[in-house]
Amino acid sequence: MLAVFLKLGLTSFGGPVAHLGYFRREFVERRRWLDEAAYGDLVALCQFLPGPASSQVGFSVGLLRAGWLGGLAAWFGFTLPSVLLLLVFATLAPDLGGTVGQGLVHGLKLTAVAVVAQAVWDMGRRLCPDLRRTAIALVSIALLAVMHSAYAQLAVIALGAAAGLAFYRRGDGALGRRPAPIDGDTGALLPRRVSHVAGALAFALFCLLLIGVPAAVRLVPGISGSATEALQGFDAFFRSGALVFGGGHVVLPLLQQQSAIQHAVSSNALLAGYGAAQAVPGPLFSFAAYLGWMMSGTGARAPGAALATVAIFLPGLLLVVAALPHWQAWRARASTAAAFAGINAAVVGLLATALYSPVWTSAVHRPLDFAIAAIACLLLVRWKAPPLAVVALCAAAGIAAAVLG
């Protein structure tokens, strides 16, 4: 399992949708570990839950095929290459001074503008196909413009769920026909089953970490400064990973709003790392390793990167374990589909807000910057250019613009 997913982690360029295509060819067509229906069921579940969908699918395949160690091997193999590549960039980033280095960093920031704009466009068309969901997205943008609390994003997601329930709870057909549950017990088409006890324990651990870690930082006396910083960092990444609905690009605004990250990583460094993350294979969530490295002091960078990586992936993996025993029953309920329709519409507003700040305000300062970002966005949206090629183009344009003045 480790060897199979390590190969995928080295070659899976193109983002989550492309990853799911690679997985289908490998596990359904080539190895026949799952049939088409079982794979489709896993993909539907992981797109339904918060977290990185492609990593959740990979973990689930490893878990259902080879048990708990298989799941961990699948996640580790798929994630390791991108983590190592981003740590190399994090190591080199402080030395990227001078004209060429500054141009490269600025080009990567313009890459982030194009990538996030493409994500807003694609997610808006897919997740806001009617007036109701468009209204939820617009109200979310308005609320985020006036709310500056650390809990603003959580509040917007909760309001989106409430609006979805209010608009679609009658199951009036606006959401389309929901898939019928598979006959028989939960997981009938999957290679092996996750027990209800394991699911309950995973959900209990998710709740404990989500609530208990920030409480421990505030309430437990005598915690050393380094331990407090580690707990605050873990909480920042865990909380961000727990709230990512709609795709990996949503992790950027969630991370940017975490105070522990704001105080340790500048907007310029954050966007440069996010741009670099577009150029590596594997999951976009590996961006957390770069941030963990940049947030940590000398001598603690590798542990800081490891802690950030585990923290941001852990909530999504716990939730998929918690949901597997119950998925078939949940997906047949009109209320579940209605709530997530509202959540996904609110997420579009969340990402659109991030497109302006910090992405646009930190990268676009002159007409040439706008031209580079617009060309890159059109290449992604209209010509379906590979993200790696767009990263290379923006980096070269940034260097050229800096050198030529």
Side-chain angles (χ1 to χ4, degrees), residues 298-376:
T298 304
R301 295 193 184 277
L307 180 68
T309 304
V310 171
I312 201 167
F313 280 99
L314 185 58
L317 302 185
L318 290 174
L319 286 174
V320 79
V321 172
L324 275 171
H326 310 283
W327 170 233
Q328 295 298 345
W330 287 354
R331 69 191 300 226
R333 296 178 181 174
S335 59
T336 304
F340 275 88
I343 288 172
N344 286 329
V347 163
V348 175
L350 182 67
L351 192 57
T353 302
L355 174 59
Y356 173 72
S357 177
V359 178
W360 181 278
T361 56
S362 297
V364 180
H365 305 301
R366 52 182 177 166
L368 181 59
D369 294 336
F370 171 76
I372 295 171
I375 291 170

Side-chain angles (χ1 to χ4, degrees), residues 23 88 95 136 150-151 185 222 262 350:
F23 288 174
V88 170
D95 298 324
I136 294 173
Y151 299 99
D185 195 9
Q262 284 181 339
L350 182 67

Side-chain angles (χ1 to χ4, degrees), residues 138-232:
L138 293 176
V139 170
S140 298
I141 293 173
L143 290 175
L144 290 168
V146 298
M147 295 172 62
H148 304 289
S149 165
Y151 299 99
Q153 293 162 337
L154 182 59
V156 165
I157 290 173
L159 288 173
L165 285 170
F167 287 155
Y168 299 108
R169 61 186 173 185
R170 292 187 179 87
D172 56 5
L175 297 178
R177 192 168 65 88
R178 291 178 300 278
I182 296 173
D183 292 336
D185 195 9
T186 299
L189 296 180
L190 299 178
R192 66 175 71 191
R193 301 174 184 177
V194 175
S195 71
H196 285 73
V197 172
L201 289 175
F203 186 69
L205 180 58
F206 169 83
C207 294
L208 178 64
L209 292 173
L210 187 65
I211 299 170
V213 172
V217 173
R218 292 193 299 267
L219 302 178
V220 177
I223 300 180
S224 67
S226 59
T228 299
E229 290 178 1
L231 286 174
Q232 288 173 338

Side-chain angles (χ1 to χ4, degrees), residues 13-15 111 115 275-281 380 385-395:
F13 290 92
T111 302
V115 169
Q278 311 302 319
V280 302
L380 289 170
L388 183 60
V390 174
V391 172
L393 174 66
C394 288

